[in-house]
Amino acid sequence: MDELLTTTLDVLKETGYERLTIDEVVSRVHASKATVYRRWPSKSALVVAAFVHAVSHLPAEYDTGSLRGDLLAGMDDLLNEMERLADVMAGLIDEKRRNEELATALREGFLDARKQVAAGAFARARERGEIAPDADVEVLWQIAPAVVMFRWLMMGESVPREEGHRLVDEVVLPLARAGRRVSAPATPPPPPPRRRHAPPSS
Amino acid sequence: MDELLTTTLDVLKETGYERLTIDEVVSRVHASKATVYRRWPSKSALVVAAFVHAVSHLPAEYDTGSLRGDLLAGMDDLLNEMERLADVMAGLIDEKRRNEELATALREGFLDARKQVAAGAFARARERGEIAPDADVEVLWQIAPAVVMFRWLMMGESVPREEGHRLVDEVVLPLARAGRRVSAPATPPPPPPRRRHAPPSS
DNA sequence: ACCGTACGGTACGAGGCGGTACCGTACACG
DNA sequence: CGTGTACGGTACCGCCTCGTACCGTACGGT
């Protein structure tokens, strides 16, 4: 039943993995525990199935003709997905360390999908000459998801669309265009970085 | 007892908040549950105290004389802290949504501390003329923690020091020097970004 | 030598939850 | 109309874990 999976995701969103109970899920759907255990062998399997179901229609592919268009579209997509899934992920991050299937689902269903989409956009941009040939795609693709998830998960706040777009225009795009070269007259090799409460007088 | 707090953190690291039990903690310390409950009113209070204790000696302040030196020192600090605390945070992210004191501890003890240190480094750099006057510090300070935590928490991998330094040299520093202006001949205002499987031919 | 305090140990209560077993029933199919 | 399958409901088992109560004891101050 589709409804069981989506409701599982709702409960997950509210309570996290450990506090989610099968009883709570079935009570919202007018189903019975027996029905759940007829279809999935365990709570863990149910949750994994619910997550896979939620990210299964993710890999949006777009080709707007410009890198900026592609990145903005990807950002909108990311922000939408986070609105749906940020709390879910918060509730799964810890369990993922113990549950190999869950870790795989998150990696393949969410992270790899985003990476592939971004990699395609950068590849096309490179062919068009929009970005530096040596742009470090392996780092670039991570920045937007990292900052957005940092804001959602660690700081507990949502990211408005306008700010997401600024992240594209003022961070990702400039970096992609500049490539790896350090952009300005480099400071001399830094003095040996003394750490922790080290005023120069010491 | 200091030992109770550090051991609590150890257990937290291994099992996460929900699966942490007082019995497990005291069994490792040769203490008794009574001792715990004499000192802290609940499991939740113990865990919050353990986390606060762990981040209490955090706010490293350094002034190496150059922005690059400051940022590299901050990055080393961040990587060290993540080595200690990544699993702990994974085990607390979900609980933080329900536990206001925990959320405060994480915000004030970890995030704000890092932000202040970074803000100081950028302010000094601006006075020295090392960076653009309009550099967006509010975004810049987040990038390093965001990417590092993304790698630890979402991708489940550690970040080698060399890669952290590249993040400083090829991402944060160039952005700070360039400021907000878009770095290269802007692409024309993008064609209306059509989303989701939209080849130009459609 | 006395006493109070804090300790480790442990037994216990109470509630919660995963998972199973067994109802009676509704509905599709032939 | 007969049959079987899947369902909702529910009682139950076993286990876990928070938190409390009550031991006997070690130890430091006076």
Side-chain angles (χ1 to χ4, degrees), chain A residues 67-145:
Chain A
L67 178 59
R68 183 167 122 94
D70 290 356
L71 291 181
L72 288 178
M75 176 60 79
D76 285 345
D77 217 40
L78 176 64
L79 294 177
N80 288 337
E81 290 309 317
M82 276 324 230
E83 198 98 33
R84 282 199 314 139
L85 295 179
D87 284 346
V88 174
M89 291 189 171
L92 290 179
I93 279 185
D94 184 51
E95 177 64 14
K96 163 176 93 63
R97 296 192 288 160
R98 258 165 262 116
N99 189 325
E100 194 53 49
E101 298 185 11
L102 187 58
T104 305
L106 193 144
R107 185 163 15 90
E108 297 184 353
F110 190 82
L111 299 176
D112 286 358
R114 300 222 83 82
K115 177 176 175 176
Q116 291 311 320
V117 169
F122 284 120
R124 290 191 298 273
R126 181 176 294 150
E127 286 171 20
R128 288 190 298 257
E130 281 190 64
I131 62 175
D134 68 339
D136 191 349
V137 173
E138 189 59 39
V139 168
L140 284 177
W141 84 266
Q142 297 182 10
I143 294 179

Side-chain angles (χ1 to χ4, degrees), chain B residues 66-80:
Chain B
S66 77
L67 179 60
R68 183 167 124 93
D70 290 356
L71 290 181
L72 288 178
M75 174 60 80
D76 285 345
D77 216 41
L78 175 64
L79 293 178
N80 287 338

Side-chain angles (χ1 to χ4, degrees), chain B residues 24-75:
Chain B
E24 176 63 25
V25 172
V26 297
S27 78
R28 296 193 187 188
V29 176
H30 195 71
S32 87
K33 274 211 286 188
T35 305
V36 169
Y37 281 99
R38 265 179 221 120
R39 213 135 5 180
W40 297 277
S42 66
K43 165 181 167 176
S44 152
L46 170 68
V47 171
V48 171
F51 183 78
V52 169
H53 177 79
V55 297
S56 59
H57 42 77
L58 250 188
E61 188 63 61
Y62 21 71
D63 183 355
T64 64
S66 77
L67 179 60
R68 183 167 124 93
D70 290 356
L71 290 181
L72 288 178
M75 174 60 80

Side-chain angles (χ1 to χ4, degrees), chain A residues 146-180:
Chain A
V147 171
V148 171
M149 300 184 82
F150 179 76
R151 295 284 291 277
W152 269 102
L153 299 184
M154 299 303 299
M155 310 195 64
E157 59 189 27
S158 66
V159 179
R161 192 177 305 278
E162 180 263 343
E163 206 169 335
H165 288 192
R166 271 182 38 220
L167 200 58
V168 168
D169 280 328
E170 299 179 8
V171 175
V172 182
L173 269 177
L175 286 173
R177 288 173 180 145
R180 299 200 191 200

